[in-house]
Amino acid sequence: MKLLKLVPDNTNIDFMKVRNIALLLSILITAASLALVAVKGLNLGVDFIGGQVVRTTFAQPVGIEDLRSRVEALDVGEASIQEFGDGKTYQIRLPRPEGPESQAAAITDKVRGMLQAQYPGVTVGAAEAVSGKVSDELAKDGLLAITLAMLGVAIYIWFRFEWQFGVGALVTLGHDVALILGFFALTQLQVDLNIVAAFLAVVGYSLNDTVVIYDRIRENMRKFRKMQTVQLLNLSLNETLSRTIVTSGSIMLALAVLLLLGPDVIFGLTAAILLGTFIGTYSSIYISAPILVWLGVKSDSFLKVEDKAAKVTSSDGAVV
């Protein structure tokens, strides 16, 4: 039985032919994304802007969508509702209103009254305030986590390969994060700690795809030392294309189903990872690889490194 191959063995797509067009397109889209973030801003959730947190325990299991619709009918802002496993215990996060603290307390009392009236036997705990200071710290910590992850990736690749590869990985990750930020600024989907987790997941996926391609490029640079850089990059991208399509396709298929059929509470998380997977696949081909051409990477650099290693090896094969 012949195995199904999504990409034939003799595939020879000239990816590098349109690298300058792809670069221009990426620059324009990245600039537009950053402009959207600057102009429209992000729709930050309670985690980042502060608010009230109310924990409730119901006598009978309650559907999260039914609970969300009843809370939203009170016109208290966009609430974030989290279930704790058994369908009876929920945490309701309410946005912080503008004005005095008494207004926040009035909103909490309004929600508590609705719950006690429409859900007999419910136990409503005391409201806990998420202050602006705590939310600011969460925002800073989230940004710091993403930044450190990107820098750590770049440093690792720098030592694992060459400095040009580290720069390429960092630019690629920055491109991916900027485009997802632009998406959230455009759609005004709520950004909470779940979205920060999605950003880190996208960074991890994009890194994985980039490292696979970089590793094949490095192998081919040692194997074909006289081959032109552009030709060698095309060869490496075509050799890893099957793996890229299978991995990215299977992930995006599962995420698309989850996006269409999954609960609303994870819609933003799923959308971020789905978009990030698509962008990460594109950038690993049209940013991380072409940037090596612009930075002047050649097979000779690997040849020189190996020659230096050979000089410290004795004639009988023992390292001195």
Side-chain angles (χ1 to χ4, degrees):
M1 180 178 177
K2 191 175 181 180
L3 295 177
L4 175 65
K5 290 188 176 181
L6 297 179
V7 180
D9 292 334
N10 59 347
T11 301
N12 187 23
I13 301 174
D14 190 359
F15 292 102
M16 295 296 101
K17 184 178 181 179
V18 296
R19 64 182 184 276
N20 292 326
I21 297 176
L23 171 65
L24 179 61
L25 178 64
S26 297
I27 291 175
L28 291 176
I29 296 178
T30 302
S33 298
L34 296 177
L36 278 172
V37 174
V39 174
K40 297 189 65 174
L42 298 173
N43 179 21
L44 300 177
V46 176
D47 294 326
F48 299 127
I49 63 175
Q52 302 288 322
V53 177
V54 180
R55 190 171 182 127
T56 59
T57 302
F58 297 90
Q60 301 294 331
V62 174
I64 189 171
E65 297 302 328
D66 176 70
L67 178 59
R68 178 177 287 105
S69 63
R70 292 175 187 267
V71 173
E72 290 178 350
L74 297 175
D75 193 25
V76 294
E78 189 171 355
S80 175
I81 302 178
Q82 182 179 4
E83 180 184 353
F84 288 90
D86 58 359
K88 295 181 180 181
T89 305
Y90 289 89
Q91 181 174 273
I92 304 174
R93 299 184 179 184
L94 303 170
R96 183 178 57 186
E98 297 181 0
E101 292 294 331
S102 58
Q103 188 173 351
I107 290 177
T108 304
D109 292 340
K110 190 176 182 181
V111 173
R112 180 182 287 106
M114 181 276 294
L115 293 173
Q116 293 173 343
Q118 299 188 19
Y119 297 99
V122 66
T123 300
V124 184
E128 299 177 1
V130 179
S131 67
K133 181 178 180 180
V134 173
S135 59
D136 288 342
E137 291 178 354
L138 288 174
K140 292 177 181 178
D141 290 345
L143 179 61
L144 181 62
I146 296 173
T147 303
L148 290 179
M150 294 171 60
L151 288 176
V153 165
I155 294 173
Y156 162 76
I157 295 180
W158 185 337
F159 285 99
R160 185 71 173 81
F161 300 93
E162 293 287 338
W163 68 267
Q164 295 95 332
F165 290 81
V167 173
L170 189 59
V171 172
T172 299
L173 294 178
H175 165 271
D176 298 347
V177 170
L179 263 59
I180 300 175
L181 283 174
F183 167 77
F184 276 92
L186 178 64
T187 60
Q188 288 297 296
L189 289 173
Q190 189 176 90
V191 177
D192 52 22
L193 289 178
N194 288 334
I195 304 304
V196 174
F199 275 105
L200 293 174
V202 169
V203 168
Y205 174 80
S206 182
L207 163 67
N208 179 70
D209 210 22
T210 299
V211 168
V212 168
I213 293 175
Y214 276 176
D215 195 54
R216 183 56 59 91
I217 291 173
R218 184 180 60 171
E219 290 177 1
N220 286 335
M221 281 183 168
R222 289 171 173 169
K223 187 185 300 183
F224 307 105
R225 296 177 176 178
K226 301 301 181 182
M227 184 179 291
Q228 295 293 323
T229 303
V230 171
Q231 183 182 357
L232 188 142
L233 293 179
N234 273 325
L235 173 64
S236 303
L237 290 171
N238 279 284
E239 288 178 345
T240 57
L241 184 60
S242 177
R243 178 264 175 200
T244 299
I245 291 178
V246 171
T247 304
S248 301
S250 58
I251 292 175
M252 288 191 287
L253 180 62
L255 288 170
V257 173
L258 191 59
L259 187 70
L260 295 174
L261 303 179
D264 292 340
V265 69
I266 62 170
F267 181 85
L269 172 70
T270 308
I273 299 178
L274 177 60
L275 179 64
T277 303
F278 175 79
I279 295 173
T281 303
Y282 161 83
S283 62
S284 64
I285 295 175
Y286 283 111
I287 294 183
S288 62
I291 202 171
L292 300 180
V293 179
W294 302 320
L295 293 177
V297 173
K298 296 181 181 179
S299 300
D300 293 344
S301 61
F302 291 94
L303 178 59
K304 293 176 181 178
V305 171
E306 291 183 352
D307 288 343
K308 290 180 180 179
K311 291 179 180 179
V312 297
T313 306
S314 63
S315 58
D316 60 354
V319 178
V320 296

